Amino acid sequence: MKAHSIRARMALASVLPVLLVVLTIVGIFWRGRVQDLEASHQQRVDLLVHQVAVFSAYDMFSGNTASLQSVVQEMQRAPGVRAVRVFDVQGSAVAGSGASRSSSWTEIAAPDYAAQQRQHQIDVRIEKILPAVLPIEDLFTSGALGSAAMPLELGSAVIEVSRQELDDKKSAALWTAAWVGAVGILLGGLLAYRLGSWVVGPLVRVSNMVKRIGRGNFAVEETVATDDPLQELQTLLNQMARRLAWSRDDLERQVQMVTQELRLKKEQAESATLAKSRFLAAASHDLRQPSHALGRFVARLGQLPMDAQMRQLVDNLERSVQAMQDLLDGLLDLSRLDSGTIQVRIGVVDLNEMMSAVRSALHSMAEAKGLRLVVRPTGLFAFSDAALLQRMLANLVINAIRYTEHGTVLLACRPHAQGRGVRIQVWDSGIGIPTEHHEDIFKEFYQVANAAGGRNFGLGLGLNIVQRSAALLGHPVALRSHPGCGTRFTLTLEAATAPHHTAPAADAKLQVLPGDVSGMQLLLIEDNVQAIEAVKGLLQSWGCAVQVALSLPEALEQMQHNGVPDLILSDFHLGATENGIVCIQTLRRVAGRHIPACLMSGDTHDAFLQAVLAADLPLLHKPVRPAKLRSLLRRMRA
């Protein structure tokens, strides 16, 4: 509560009546005073003209002009008198003194002369001069003796008096009234201020108590005076503060207990999450080594001549290996998103080339289910990360193929927002998704139509990876689907103009010629014998010359005898003390130049991924697919 505001309002409430009373009294006083002054002035003017008329009567009767002039001059000396004139009955001036605007009886006797002089602050009075003596008895006149004749008019007396003195007295009266009013208002204001202090003081003390309680300061109690008019209220506020202090202490104890419990549960959850991450990382690493070798053996086996039955068996084996590698890739992508080690590289992406690459990679999967995978050509370009965007589109198309039993899966794009944006859409004619599951399908390991947990539908990570990757890139994801009506996923990107030279999308490099890597000199550094045999056999089948080393000393020896290789392929873990990053850096330093190199590993933990990023080395996660390895060799050779 603002004390000065309350005091000001109290003072205003008190001063207003005082002000009205004072102004009323002052107004009445000044008005009465002005009227009195006006009346006194008029009486004085009347008295002056009457005196002139009386004093002039005998001189007019006797014709004593000199005496009459003396009377006029003496009257003109009176304060405020501007002019005195005496006229006979014929209107001729007999005597006069002072400055007058007119000396003619005709003008002075005119009805509007007095009004005109009043405008110049001059009052004009005219009075007839009558004889003051008895008429002379004419013994020779007819009529009874002693009969008196009617009084005769001797002339007129005119006097002009200035109102300046009257105006000065009025001004003095006004100033006196103003001073009286000011003193009255001042006294009223002081009284109002004092009254406001008497009223506001207790309110301010109560306000301070409420502020203290509002700030949570319950420990200090205000001292209450016995003569305070708000004593009872202040006592109740002190009691309320004590109760609030007790409640706050009890609440703090309860919050501490709940916080401790939540902290323990949080630590347990973090421990469980850490354990899960460690398990996934360890399991992923342990599974990737044999899966990597198995994939290379199957790829090499597929290049050998065989009969139809053997070819079918190898194809089934290859599809099984492919499914296992897809599951491991999903876990890898999820762990990379969790660790935040994905580096986004935004550039101009040729959407037609990217969608064609997705079609090439997934066309056989759609044909295996009897579906048509349709990709509409386009000439649009957009800003995005080519590798992440292609992975997102591949996951959406794979998801559409898995949940569609017959019909078509369509991948297309079109302009949006008057050409400022691009919408990439994946349509399918599958089973559809109920509305209540539209948010749940983006969760980890969630599958609407896979209640039994069949692995034909994967782990349920694809859409979660799509959503998190889209958030990382700033590409909104929209879903429209109803049961039995199929599903449509939409990605919205920022449109771009076609560059002068557009680099092909990452997976577009999978379409390479059989002999485009032949003749490359490769140094393979790997401590796993099965992986060495699988990768070496696959590379040699592509026409590459492969030198093998199990450790850094063997790699240095191979380079010393066979020269600097065109490319170094190295596993990360090389025994108990060595790693691929140090090995590659050492070989480059010994060679005295930059040797193209690539790491292969099944590790997914944060520290490893950060180290790879810091070393600026490309990374192939085991199991490495032959197409990706071949694409990398082609790019390195170029």
Side-chain angles (χ1 to χ4, degrees), residues 369-429:
K369 290 193 65 175
L371 303 176
R372 291 190 309 128
L373 177 58
V374 179
V375 177
R376 289 182 179 174
T378 182
L380 297 175
F381 293 80
F383 289 105
S384 185
D385 184 296
L388 286 177
L389 180 60
Q390 185 165 328
R391 181 64 175 166
M392 291 164 61
L393 295 180
N395 282 340
L396 291 175
V397 174
I398 290 172
N399 185 78
I401 293 173
R402 284 175 176 171
Y403 290 93
T404 302
E405 297 302 326
H406 55 82
T408 303
V409 174
L410 172 65
L411 175 60
C413 68
R414 59 182 180 180
H416 170 63
Q418 299 180 349
R420 296 189 302 272
V422 176
R423 281 182 172 175
I424 304 177
Q425 296 180 330
V426 178
W427 301 67
D428 66 58
S429 57

Short mmCIF file of all heavy atoms in Angstrom, two decimals, residues 369-429:
data_model
loop_
_atom_site.label_atom_id
_atom_site.label_comp_id
_atom_site.label_asym_id
_atom_site.label_seq_id
_atom_site.Cartn_x
_atom_site.Cartn_y
_atom_site.Cartn_z
N LYS A 369 6.90 -58.25 -52.12
CA LYS A 369 5.56 -58.30 -51.53
C LYS A 369 4.47 -58.09 -52.58
O LYS A 369 3.27 -58.01 -52.24
CB LYS A 369 5.40 -57.23 -50.45
CG LYS A 369 6.20 -57.49 -49.20
CD LYS A 369 5.76 -56.59 -48.07
CE LYS A 369 4.35 -56.86 -47.62
NZ LYS A 369 3.94 -56.07 -46.44
N GLY A 370 4.86 -58.00 -53.85
CA GLY A 370 3.87 -57.80 -54.90
C GLY A 370 3.33 -56.39 -54.95
O GLY A 370 2.20 -56.18 -55.42
N LEU A 371 4.09 -55.39 -54.50
CA LEU A 371 3.66 -54.00 -54.48
C LEU A 371 4.36 -53.22 -55.58
O LEU A 371 5.43 -53.59 -56.04
CB LEU A 371 3.97 -53.35 -53.13
CG LEU A 371 3.38 -54.02 -51.89
CD1 LEU A 371 3.88 -53.31 -50.64
CD2 LEU A 371 1.86 -54.00 -51.94
N ARG A 372 3.73 -52.11 -55.96
CA ARG A 372 4.34 -51.19 -56.92
C ARG A 372 4.92 -50.02 -56.14
O ARG A 372 4.21 -49.34 -55.40
CB ARG A 372 3.31 -50.68 -57.93
CG ARG A 372 2.81 -51.72 -58.89
CD ARG A 372 1.99 -51.09 -60.02
NE ARG A 372 0.95 -50.20 -59.51
CZ ARG A 372 0.80 -48.96 -59.92
NH1 ARG A 372 1.62 -48.45 -60.85
NH2 ARG A 372 -0.17 -48.18 -59.43
N LEU A 373 6.21 -49.79 -56.32
CA LEU A 373 6.88 -48.64 -55.73
C LEU A 373 7.03 -47.59 -56.82
O LEU A 373 7.83 -47.74 -57.75
CB LEU A 373 8.24 -49.02 -55.15
CG LEU A 373 9.06 -47.87 -54.58
CD1 LEU A 373 8.30 -47.13 -53.48
CD2 LEU A 373 10.41 -48.38 -54.04
N VAL A 374 6.23 -46.53 -56.73
CA VAL A 374 6.20 -45.49 -57.75
C VAL A 374 6.89 -44.25 -57.21
O VAL A 374 6.57 -43.77 -56.12
CB VAL A 374 4.75 -45.16 -58.16
CG1 VAL A 374 4.73 -44.05 -59.21
CG2 VAL A 374 4.05 -46.42 -58.68
N VAL A 375 7.85 -43.73 -57.97
CA VAL A 375 8.55 -42.50 -57.62
C VAL A 375 8.34 -41.52 -58.77
O VAL A 375 8.76 -41.78 -59.90
CB VAL A 375 10.05 -42.74 -57.38
CG1 VAL A 375 10.75 -41.40 -57.10
CG2 VAL A 375 10.26 -43.71 -56.23
N ARG A 376 7.67 -40.43 -58.50
CA ARG A 376 7.40 -39.45 -59.54
C ARG A 376 8.61 -38.55 -59.75
O ARG A 376 9.14 -37.99 -58.78
CB ARG A 376 6.19 -38.60 -59.15
CG ARG A 376 4.87 -39.36 -59.23
CD ARG A 376 3.71 -38.45 -58.88
NE ARG A 376 2.46 -39.16 -58.96
CZ ARG A 376 1.28 -38.64 -58.59
NH1 ARG A 376 1.25 -37.39 -58.13
NH2 ARG A 376 0.18 -39.35 -58.70
N PRO A 377 9.04 -38.39 -60.98
CA PRO A 377 10.19 -37.51 -61.26
C PRO A 377 9.85 -36.06 -60.90
O PRO A 377 8.69 -35.64 -60.94
CB PRO A 377 10.41 -37.68 -62.77
CG PRO A 377 9.71 -38.95 -63.12
CD PRO A 377 8.55 -39.08 -62.19
N THR A 378 10.87 -35.32 -60.55
CA THR A 378 10.68 -33.92 -60.19
C THR A 378 11.94 -33.13 -60.53
O THR A 378 13.03 -33.71 -60.65
CB THR A 378 10.38 -33.77 -58.68
OG1 THR A 378 10.16 -32.39 -58.37
CG2 THR A 378 11.54 -34.29 -57.85
N GLY A 379 11.78 -31.86 -60.69
CA GLY A 379 12.92 -30.99 -60.93
C GLY A 379 13.18 -30.05 -59.77
O GLY A 379 13.87 -29.03 -59.93
N LEU A 380 12.69 -30.39 -58.59
CA LEU A 380 12.81 -29.51 -57.43
C LEU A 380 14.10 -29.78 -56.66
O LEU A 380 14.62 -30.91 -56.67
CB LEU A 380 11.61 -29.69 -56.50
CG LEU A 380 10.24 -29.32 -57.08
CD1 LEU A 380 9.14 -29.66 -56.09
CD2 LEU A 380 10.20 -27.85 -57.47
N PHE A 381 14.57 -28.73 -55.99
CA PHE A 381 15.73 -28.83 -55.11
C PHE A 381 15.34 -28.26 -53.75
O PHE A 381 14.42 -27.43 -53.65
CB PHE A 381 16.92 -28.05 -55.68
CG PHE A 381 17.49 -28.63 -56.94
CD1 PHE A 381 16.87 -28.40 -58.17
CD2 PHE A 381 18.62 -29.42 -56.90
CE1 PHE A 381 17.39 -28.94 -59.33
CE2 PHE A 381 19.14 -29.96 -58.07
CZ PHE A 381 18.53 -29.72 -59.29
N ALA A 382 16.02 -28.68 -52.71
CA ALA A 382 15.69 -28.21 -51.35
C ALA A 382 16.96 -28.15 -50.51
O ALA A 382 17.98 -28.79 -50.83
CB ALA A 382 14.67 -29.14 -50.68
N PHE A 383 16.89 -27.37 -49.42
CA PHE A 383 17.99 -27.29 -48.46
C PHE A 383 17.80 -28.38 -47.40
O PHE A 383 16.78 -28.41 -46.71
CB PHE A 383 18.01 -25.92 -47.78
CG PHE A 383 18.46 -24.80 -48.69
CD1 PHE A 383 17.53 -23.91 -49.20
CD2 PHE A 383 19.79 -24.66 -49.03
CE1 PHE A 383 17.93 -22.87 -50.02
CE2 PHE A 383 20.20 -23.63 -49.86
CZ PHE A 383 19.27 -22.73 -50.36
N SER A 384 18.80 -29.25 -47.25
CA SER A 384 18.73 -30.30 -46.23
C SER A 384 20.09 -30.99 -46.15
O SER A 384 21.03 -30.65 -46.87
CB SER A 384 17.62 -31.31 -46.58
OG SER A 384 17.49 -32.26 -45.53
N ASP A 385 20.17 -31.93 -45.22
CA ASP A 385 21.34 -32.82 -45.14
C ASP A 385 21.02 -34.05 -45.99
O ASP A 385 20.08 -34.80 -45.69
CB ASP A 385 21.60 -33.21 -43.69
CG ASP A 385 22.85 -34.05 -43.53
OD1 ASP A 385 22.87 -35.17 -44.07
OD2 ASP A 385 23.80 -33.59 -42.88
N ALA A 386 21.79 -34.26 -47.03
CA ALA A 386 21.46 -35.32 -47.99
C ALA A 386 21.40 -36.69 -47.35
O ALA A 386 20.46 -37.46 -47.59
CB ALA A 386 22.48 -35.31 -49.14
N ALA A 387 22.38 -37.00 -46.50
CA ALA A 387 22.43 -38.34 -45.90
C ALA A 387 21.26 -38.57 -44.95
O ALA A 387 20.57 -39.59 -45.01
CB ALA A 387 23.76 -38.53 -45.17
N LEU A 388 21.00 -37.59 -44.07
CA LEU A 388 19.90 -37.75 -43.12
C LEU A 388 18.55 -37.77 -43.83
O LEU A 388 17.67 -38.57 -43.48
CB LEU A 388 19.93 -36.61 -42.10
CG LEU A 388 21.02 -36.67 -41.04
CD1 LEU A 388 20.96 -35.43 -40.14
CD2 LEU A 388 20.89 -37.92 -40.18
N LEU A 389 18.37 -36.90 -44.82
CA LEU A 389 17.10 -36.86 -45.53
C LEU A 389 16.84 -38.17 -46.26
O LEU A 389 15.71 -38.69 -46.24
CB LEU A 389 17.09 -35.68 -46.51
CG LEU A 389 15.81 -35.51 -47.33
CD1 LEU A 389 14.61 -35.28 -46.43
CD2 LEU A 389 15.96 -34.37 -48.33
N GLN A 390 17.88 -38.72 -46.90
CA GLN A 390 17.67 -39.98 -47.61
C GLN A 390 17.37 -41.12 -46.65
O GLN A 390 16.55 -41.99 -46.94
CB GLN A 390 18.92 -40.31 -48.45
CG GLN A 390 18.73 -41.55 -49.31
CD GLN A 390 19.79 -41.65 -50.39
OE1 GLN A 390 20.26 -40.64 -50.89
NE2 GLN A 390 20.13 -42.86 -50.76
N ARG A 391 17.99 -41.09 -45.47
CA ARG A 391 17.70 -42.11 -44.46
C ARG A 391 16.26 -41.99 -43.98
O ARG A 391 15.56 -42.99 -43.79
CB ARG A 391 18.67 -41.94 -43.29
CG ARG A 391 18.49 -42.97 -42.17
CD ARG A 391 18.79 -44.35 -42.67
NE ARG A 391 18.73 -45.33 -41.59
CZ ARG A 391 18.69 -46.64 -41.76
NH1 ARG A 391 18.72 -47.14 -42.99
NH2 ARG A 391 18.64 -47.46 -40.73
N MET A 392 15.77 -40.75 -43.82
CA MET A 392 14.39 -40.54 -43.39
C MET A 392 13.41 -41.05 -44.45
O MET A 392 12.42 -41.75 -44.13
CB MET A 392 14.15 -39.05 -43.13
CG MET A 392 14.89 -38.50 -41.92
SD MET A 392 14.97 -36.69 -41.92
CE MET A 392 13.23 -36.29 -41.88
N LEU A 393 13.67 -40.71 -45.73
CA LEU A 393 12.77 -41.17 -46.79
C LEU A 393 12.79 -42.70 -46.90
O LEU A 393 11.75 -43.33 -47.11
CB LEU A 393 13.18 -40.54 -48.11
CG LEU A 393 13.01 -39.01 -48.21
CD1 LEU A 393 13.45 -38.53 -49.58
CD2 LEU A 393 11.58 -38.61 -47.94
N ALA A 394 13.97 -43.27 -46.73
CA ALA A 394 14.06 -44.73 -46.80
C ALA A 394 13.26 -45.37 -45.68
O ALA A 394 12.53 -46.36 -45.88
CB ALA A 394 15.53 -45.16 -46.74
N ASN A 395 13.33 -44.81 -44.47
CA ASN A 395 12.56 -45.37 -43.35
C ASN A 395 11.06 -45.24 -43.60
O ASN A 395 10.28 -46.16 -43.28
CB ASN A 395 12.93 -44.65 -42.06
CG ASN A 395 14.24 -45.13 -41.48
OD1 ASN A 395 14.72 -46.22 -41.80
ND2 ASN A 395 14.85 -44.33 -40.63
N LEU A 396 10.62 -44.10 -44.15
CA LEU A 396 9.19 -43.93 -44.44
C LEU A 396 8.72 -44.91 -45.50
O LEU A 396 7.62 -45.49 -45.38
CB LEU A 396 8.92 -42.49 -44.88
CG LEU A 396 9.07 -41.40 -43.80
CD1 LEU A 396 8.89 -40.02 -44.41
CD2 LEU A 396 8.06 -41.63 -42.67
N VAL A 397 9.51 -45.10 -46.55
CA VAL A 397 9.12 -46.04 -47.60
C VAL A 397 9.13 -47.47 -47.08
O VAL A 397 8.22 -48.27 -47.37
CB VAL A 397 10.04 -45.88 -48.83
CG1 VAL A 397 9.74 -46.96 -49.87
CG2 VAL A 397 9.86 -44.50 -49.44
N ILE A 398 10.16 -47.84 -46.30
CA ILE A 398 10.21 -49.19 -45.71
C ILE A 398 8.99 -49.41 -44.82
O ILE A 398 8.35 -50.49 -44.85
CB ILE A 398 11.51 -49.37 -44.92
CG1 ILE A 398 12.71 -49.43 -45.87
CG2 ILE A 398 11.46 -50.63 -44.07
CD1 ILE A 398 14.05 -49.41 -45.16
N ASN A 399 8.62 -48.41 -44.03
CA ASN A 399 7.45 -48.53 -43.16
C ASN A 399 6.18 -48.71 -43.99
O ASN A 399 5.31 -49.52 -43.64
CB ASN A 399 7.34 -47.27 -42.29
CG ASN A 399 6.22 -47.36 -41.29
OD1 ASN A 399 6.34 -47.99 -40.25
ND2 ASN A 399 5.10 -46.69 -41.57
N ALA A 400 6.07 -47.99 -45.11
CA ALA A 400 4.90 -48.12 -45.97
C ALA A 400 4.83 -49.51 -46.60
O ALA A 400 3.75 -50.12 -46.68
CB ALA A 400 4.93 -47.04 -47.06
N ILE A 401 5.97 -50.03 -47.04
CA ILE A 401 5.98 -51.37 -47.65
C ILE A 401 5.60 -52.43 -46.63
O ILE A 401 4.85 -53.38 -46.92
CB ILE A 401 7.36 -51.65 -48.27
CG1 ILE A 401 7.62 -50.70 -49.45
CG2 ILE A 401 7.48 -53.10 -48.70
CD1 ILE A 401 9.03 -50.79 -50.01
N ARG A 402 6.10 -52.31 -45.41
CA ARG A 402 5.83 -53.32 -44.39
C ARG A 402 4.34 -53.41 -44.03
O ARG A 402 3.83 -54.49 -43.75
CB ARG A 402 6.64 -53.01 -43.13
CG ARG A 402 8.12 -53.37 -43.24
CD ARG A 402 8.87 -52.91 -42.01
NE ARG A 402 10.27 -53.35 -42.08
CZ ARG A 402 11.21 -52.94 -41.23
NH1 ARG A 402 10.90 -52.09 -40.27
NH2 ARG A 402 12.45 -53.39 -41.35
N TYR A 403 3.66 -52.25 -44.03
CA TYR A 403 2.26 -52.24 -43.59
C TYR A 403 1.28 -52.16 -44.75
O TYR A 403 0.13 -51.80 -44.56
CB TYR A 403 2.04 -51.06 -42.64
CG TYR A 403 2.72 -51.25 -41.31
CD1 TYR A 403 4.00 -50.75 -41.10
CD2 TYR A 403 2.11 -51.96 -40.29
CE1 TYR A 403 4.65 -50.93 -39.89
CE2 TYR A 403 2.75 -52.14 -39.07
CZ TYR A 403 4.02 -51.63 -38.87
OH TYR A 403 4.65 -51.82 -37.67
N THR A 404 1.74 -52.47 -45.96
CA THR A 404 0.86 -52.50 -47.12
C THR A 404 0.89 -53.91 -47.72
O THR A 404 1.96 -54.43 -48.05
CB THR A 404 1.31 -51.48 -48.18
OG1 THR A 404 1.32 -50.18 -47.59
CG2 THR A 404 0.36 -51.47 -49.37
N GLU A 405 -0.27 -54.54 -47.86
CA GLU A 405 -0.35 -55.91 -48.36
C GLU A 405 -0.59 -55.95 -49.87
O GLU A 405 -0.21 -56.90 -50.53
CB GLU A 405 -1.48 -56.68 -47.65
CG GLU A 405 -1.26 -56.84 -46.16
CD GLU A 405 0.04 -57.56 -45.84
OE1 GLU A 405 0.43 -58.47 -46.62
OE2 GLU A 405 0.67 -57.22 -44.83
N HIS A 406 -1.25 -54.92 -50.41
CA HIS A 406 -1.49 -54.90 -51.85
C HIS A 406 -1.70 -53.45 -52.27
O HIS A 406 -2.14 -52.61 -51.49
CB HIS A 406 -2.71 -55.74 -52.24
CG HIS A 406 -3.96 -55.35 -51.50
ND1 HIS A 406 -4.76 -54.30 -51.87
CD2 HIS A 406 -4.53 -55.89 -50.39
CE1 HIS A 406 -5.77 -54.19 -51.03
NE2 HIS A 406 -5.66 -55.13 -50.12
N GLY A 407 -1.37 -53.19 -53.53
CA GLY A 407 -1.55 -51.83 -54.02
C GLY A 407 -0.23 -51.15 -54.34
O GLY A 407 0.69 -51.76 -54.89
N THR A 408 -0.11 -49.89 -53.95
CA THR A 408 0.99 -49.05 -54.40
C THR A 408 1.56 -48.24 -53.24
O THR A 408 0.83 -47.83 -52.34
CB THR A 408 0.52 -48.07 -55.51
OG1 THR A 408 -0.04 -48.82 -56.57
CG2 THR A 408 1.68 -47.22 -56.02
N VAL A 409 2.86 -48.03 -53.29
CA VAL A 409 3.54 -47.09 -52.42
C VAL A 409 4.10 -45.98 -53.31
O VAL A 409 4.84 -46.27 -54.26
CB VAL A 409 4.67 -47.76 -51.61
CG1 VAL A 409 5.45 -46.70 -50.82
CG2 VAL A 409 4.10 -48.82 -50.68
N LEU A 410 3.71 -44.73 -53.01
CA LEU A 410 4.07 -43.61 -53.86
C LEU A 410 4.99 -42.66 -53.11
O LEU A 410 4.74 -42.29 -51.96
CB LEU A 410 2.80 -42.84 -54.29
CG LEU A 410 3.02 -41.52 -55.04
CD1 LEU A 410 3.70 -41.77 -56.38
CD2 LEU A 410 1.70 -40.79 -55.22
N LEU A 411 6.08 -42.26 -53.78
CA LEU A 411 7.01 -41.25 -53.27
C LEU A 411 7.02 -40.09 -54.26
O LEU A 411 7.37 -40.28 -55.43
CB LEU A 411 8.41 -41.84 -53.11
CG LEU A 411 9.52 -40.86 -52.68
CD1 LEU A 411 9.20 -40.23 -51.33
CD2 LEU A 411 10.88 -41.58 -52.62
N ALA A 412 6.62 -38.91 -53.80
CA ALA A 412 6.52 -37.76 -54.69
C ALA A 412 6.78 -36.48 -53.91
O ALA A 412 6.78 -36.48 -52.67
CB ALA A 412 5.14 -37.71 -55.35
N CYS A 413 6.99 -35.39 -54.64
CA CYS A 413 7.16 -34.09 -54.00
C CYS A 413 6.53 -33.03 -54.88
O CYS A 413 6.35 -33.23 -56.09
CB CYS A 413 8.63 -33.77 -53.74
SG CYS A 413 9.61 -33.50 -55.22
N ARG A 414 6.19 -31.89 -54.28
CA ARG A 414 5.54 -30.81 -55.01
C ARG A 414 5.87 -29.49 -54.32
O ARG A 414 6.22 -29.46 -53.14
CB ARG A 414 4.03 -31.01 -55.05
CG ARG A 414 3.38 -31.09 -53.69
CD ARG A 414 1.90 -31.35 -53.81
NE ARG A 414 1.25 -31.44 -52.51
CZ ARG A 414 -0.05 -31.66 -52.34
NH1 ARG A 414 -0.83 -31.81 -53.40
NH2 ARG A 414 -0.57 -31.72 -51.13
N PRO A 415 5.74 -28.37 -55.07
CA PRO A 415 6.02 -27.06 -54.46
C PRO A 415 4.99 -26.73 -53.38
O PRO A 415 3.87 -27.22 -53.37
CB PRO A 415 5.93 -26.09 -55.65
CG PRO A 415 6.02 -26.94 -56.87
CD PRO A 415 5.45 -28.27 -56.51
N HIS A 416 5.42 -25.84 -52.49
CA HIS A 416 4.57 -25.44 -51.37
C HIS A 416 4.84 -23.97 -51.04
O HIS A 416 5.96 -23.47 -51.25
CB HIS A 416 4.86 -26.32 -50.15
CG HIS A 416 4.22 -25.85 -48.89
ND1 HIS A 416 2.86 -25.79 -48.73
CD2 HIS A 416 4.77 -25.39 -47.73
CE1 HIS A 416 2.58 -25.33 -47.53
NE2 HIS A 416 3.73 -25.09 -46.90
N ALA A 417 3.81 -23.27 -50.55
CA ALA A 417 3.94 -21.87 -50.12
C ALA A 417 4.45 -21.00 -51.26
O ALA A 417 5.42 -20.25 -51.09
CB ALA A 417 4.84 -21.76 -48.89
N GLN A 418 3.78 -21.14 -52.43
CA GLN A 418 4.11 -20.33 -53.60
C GLN A 418 5.57 -20.47 -54.02
O GLN A 418 6.24 -19.51 -54.38
CB GLN A 418 3.78 -18.86 -53.35
CG GLN A 418 2.30 -18.62 -53.07
CD GLN A 418 1.98 -17.17 -52.81
OE1 GLN A 418 2.88 -16.36 -52.64
NE2 GLN A 418 0.70 -16.83 -52.77
N GLY A 419 6.07 -21.69 -53.92
CA GLY A 419 7.42 -21.98 -54.38
C GLY A 419 8.50 -21.78 -53.36
O GLY A 419 9.67 -22.09 -53.62
N ARG A 420 8.15 -21.26 -52.16
CA ARG A 420 9.18 -21.06 -51.12
C ARG A 420 9.51 -22.34 -50.37
O ARG A 420 10.52 -22.40 -49.67
CB ARG A 420 8.72 -19.99 -50.13
CG ARG A 420 8.54 -18.61 -50.75
CD ARG A 420 8.30 -17.56 -49.68
NE ARG A 420 7.14 -17.87 -48.88
CZ ARG A 420 5.89 -17.48 -49.19
NH1 ARG A 420 5.68 -16.77 -50.30
NH2 ARG A 420 4.86 -17.78 -48.41
N GLY A 421 8.67 -23.36 -50.49
CA GLY A 421 8.90 -24.61 -49.78
C GLY A 421 8.65 -25.80 -50.69
O GLY A 421 8.15 -25.68 -51.81
N VAL A 422 9.00 -26.97 -50.18
CA VAL A 422 8.82 -28.23 -50.90
C VAL A 422 8.22 -29.25 -49.93
O VAL A 422 8.68 -29.36 -48.78
CB VAL A 422 10.15 -28.77 -51.47
CG1 VAL A 422 9.92 -30.13 -52.13
CG2 VAL A 422 10.74 -27.79 -52.47
N ARG A 423 7.22 -29.97 -50.38
CA ARG A 423 6.63 -31.04 -49.58
C ARG A 423 6.94 -32.39 -50.23
O ARG A 423 6.58 -32.62 -51.39
CB ARG A 423 5.11 -30.85 -49.47
CG ARG A 423 4.71 -29.81 -48.43
CD ARG A 423 3.20 -29.70 -48.33
NE ARG A 423 2.83 -28.85 -47.22
CZ ARG A 423 1.57 -28.50 -46.94
NH1 ARG A 423 0.58 -28.95 -47.71
NH2 ARG A 423 1.30 -27.73 -45.90
N ILE A 424 7.61 -33.24 -49.45
CA ILE A 424 7.88 -34.61 -49.90
C ILE A 424 6.88 -35.51 -49.19
O ILE A 424 6.76 -35.48 -47.95
CB ILE A 424 9.31 -35.03 -49.56
CG1 ILE A 424 10.32 -34.05 -50.17
CG2 ILE A 424 9.58 -36.44 -50.06
CD1 ILE A 424 11.76 -34.36 -49.82
N GLN A 425 6.15 -36.32 -49.97
CA GLN A 425 5.09 -37.16 -49.41
C GLN A 425 5.31 -38.62 -49.77
O GLN A 425 5.76 -38.95 -50.87
CB GLN A 425 3.72 -36.68 -49.92
CG GLN A 425 3.36 -35.28 -49.46
CD GLN A 425 2.01 -34.82 -49.97
OE1 GLN A 425 1.58 -35.25 -51.05
NE2 GLN A 425 1.34 -33.96 -49.22
N VAL A 426 4.97 -39.48 -48.79
CA VAL A 426 5.00 -40.94 -48.98
C VAL A 426 3.58 -41.44 -48.74
O VAL A 426 3.05 -41.32 -47.63
CB VAL A 426 5.99 -41.61 -48.02
CG1 VAL A 426 5.95 -43.12 -48.20
CG2 VAL A 426 7.41 -41.09 -48.25
N TRP A 427 2.95 -41.96 -49.81
CA TRP A 427 1.59 -42.49 -49.74
C TRP A 427 1.64 -44.01 -49.79
O TRP A 427 2.51 -44.59 -50.44
CB TRP A 427 0.74 -42.00 -50.92
CG TRP A 427 0.60 -40.52 -51.05
CD1 TRP A 427 1.56 -39.61 -51.33
CD2 TRP A 427 -0.62 -39.78 -50.93
NE1 TRP A 427 1.05 -38.34 -51.39
CE2 TRP A 427 -0.30 -38.40 -51.15
CE3 TRP A 427 -1.95 -40.12 -50.66
CZ2 TRP A 427 -1.27 -37.40 -51.12
CZ3 TRP A 427 -2.91 -39.12 -50.64
CH2 TRP A 427 -2.57 -37.78 -50.84
N ASP A 428 0.69 -44.63 -49.11
CA ASP A 428 0.54 -46.07 -49.25
C ASP A 428 -0.94 -46.42 -49.18
O ASP A 428 -1.77 -45.61 -48.73
CB ASP A 428 1.34 -46.83 -48.18
CG ASP A 428 0.83 -46.61 -46.77
OD1 ASP A 428 -0.36 -46.89 -46.51
OD2 ASP A 428 1.61 -46.15 -45.92
N SER A 429 -1.27 -47.60 -49.65
CA SER A 429 -2.65 -48.10 -49.62
C SER A 429 -2.79 -49.19 -48.58
O SER A 429 -3.50 -50.18 -48.78
CB SER A 429 -3.05 -48.62 -51.01
OG SER A 429 -2.13 -49.63 -51.45
#
